[in-house]
Amino acid sequence: MIGQWIGVLGVAVALYILWQIRQILLLIFTAVVLATAANGFVRRVQQLNVPRGRAVLLTLSIFLTFAIIFIALIVPPFLAQFQELIQLLPTGIEKIWQSLPLWIDQILKWIPENLSAARETLLILQERLRSETLQIDLSRIDLSEVSQQASPIVGRFLDNFFALFNNAVTVTLQLLLVLILTLMLLADPQSYRQAFLALFPSFYRRRADRILTHCEIALGNWFAGIIINSLFVGTLSGVGLWFLGIDLALAHALLAGLLNFIPNIGPVLSVIFPLSVAMQTPSWRIWMVIVLYLVVQQVESYWLTPTVMARQVSLLPALTLIAQICFATLFGLLGLILALPLAVVAKVWIQELLVRDILDGWQP
């Protein structure tokens, strides 16, 4: 009896320690994701009869070359356009707010008369928007007041965000830690894998090793799929905005591609930037920007994702959204970005360990 209580106490202490170091664990998981993605390239190079050490160096050299080219050719014009975008953003958001009553008028024309409840709700919203004048000045927004007045989830999200990224030194140290861990894991992944498997009982280590293989495959498929999807979304958005004559098309395209890493929330945020710039142009461009982003997201969701990610671990949309809310609440911004790979790994372990090994074999 005493031994059982000691065991329960030990588990409780371990969980408490893990909770206290959750941000470090998330950085470690980031390094694992990056090392898993890079290890796939290393294995392909090894298939050409190249020793692993040289394969790792060749893979890192290729990544570094692409990074230098990207920074030299893309980053300078992007930063210039992004600074201009930040200056135009307050005016654009203010015009969007002022245009909402007119947009509601257009929506009311398409709503049937028998849907009285919906029409009444929109009319009340329209009246409130017309009766209130909102002058938006992003430079005067007090983020501390926003976090206090927001819901507990949003408040905790902002607290974790500013705790994690409160200064450039913290960001630099975290990036350096992730980079070093990634290189260490990539240099000798098998040793770290065996060390992790040693935490399991001896009779279950072979089964846990197979589950880790499933996780590795799922993470590799997710990483390759999200890269292709982001390139597609960014390229198509940039070409479409350039064709429509929207200023700062490069900045909008890169933001659309980067925000595509965050499912559900990212695509919605990405349309705010070009829409705020389009507010300075004729009204037909505003609607064309909205149509463009809707078409891009529909093509990406219903054609590209099922095609590219056919082998990926599928997640229900509701579970994806729940995972985003939970991980953003627990880990902040980085948790929101890594919500999908975390959910992919969690699903593999739940499906293999809990469902197949425990629940499916449970005899009455």
Side-chain angles (χ1 to χ4, degrees), residues 52-71:
R52 179 169 181 85
R54 294 181 181 179
V56 171
L57 290 177
L58 182 59
T59 300
L60 294 178
S61 300
I62 294 174
F63 286 168
L64 184 60
T65 302
F66 276 105
I68 293 174
I69 295 174
F70 178 82
I71 293 174

Side-chain angles (χ1 to χ4, degrees), residues 72 93 148 190 213 221 249 254 269 336 354:
I93 293 178
Q148 291 175 0
Q190 197 61 32
T213 301
N221 291 336
L254 284 178
L269 294 177
L336 179 63
L354 180 62

Side-chain angles (χ1 to χ4, degrees), residues 163-184:
L164 189 62
F165 300 101
N166 56 355
N167 54 61
V169 176
T170 303
V171 175
T172 303
L173 291 176
Q174 290 172 347
L175 291 176
L176 186 61
L177 174 62
V178 171
L179 178 61
I180 293 174
L181 289 176
T182 302
L183 294 177
M184 288 181 175

Side-chain angles (χ1 to χ4, degrees), residues 32 81 110 115 131 213-214 222 253 353:
V32 170
Q81 292 191 11
W110 294 89
L115 297 178
S131 62
T213 301
H214 292 321
W222 168 81
L353 173 61

Side-chain angles (χ1 to χ4, degrees), residues 250-326:
L250 176 61
H252 299 316
L254 284 178
L255 288 173
L258 292 175
L259 290 173
N260 193 62
F261 276 79
I262 308 176
N264 302 321
I265 300 175
V268 176
L269 294 177
S270 65
V271 75
I272 295 177
F273 301 100
L275 198 59
S276 62
V277 175
M279 295 300 296
Q280 323 290 332
T281 63
S283 59
W284 65 269
R285 287 185 177 176
I286 300 173
W287 294 106
M288 291 304 297
V289 168
I290 296 175
V291 171
L292 170 65
Y293 272 69
L294 286 176
V295 170
V296 171
Q297 291 303 323
Q298 293 302 312
V299 173
E300 189 267 340
S301 300
Y302 293 101
W303 175 75
L304 186 65
T305 296
T307 302
V308 173
M309 298 189 177
R311 297 170 55 199
Q312 184 192 18
V313 177
S314 58
L315 291 173
L316 297 175
L319 293 180
T320 302
L321 183 59
I322 292 172
Q324 287 179 279
I325 296 174
C326 293

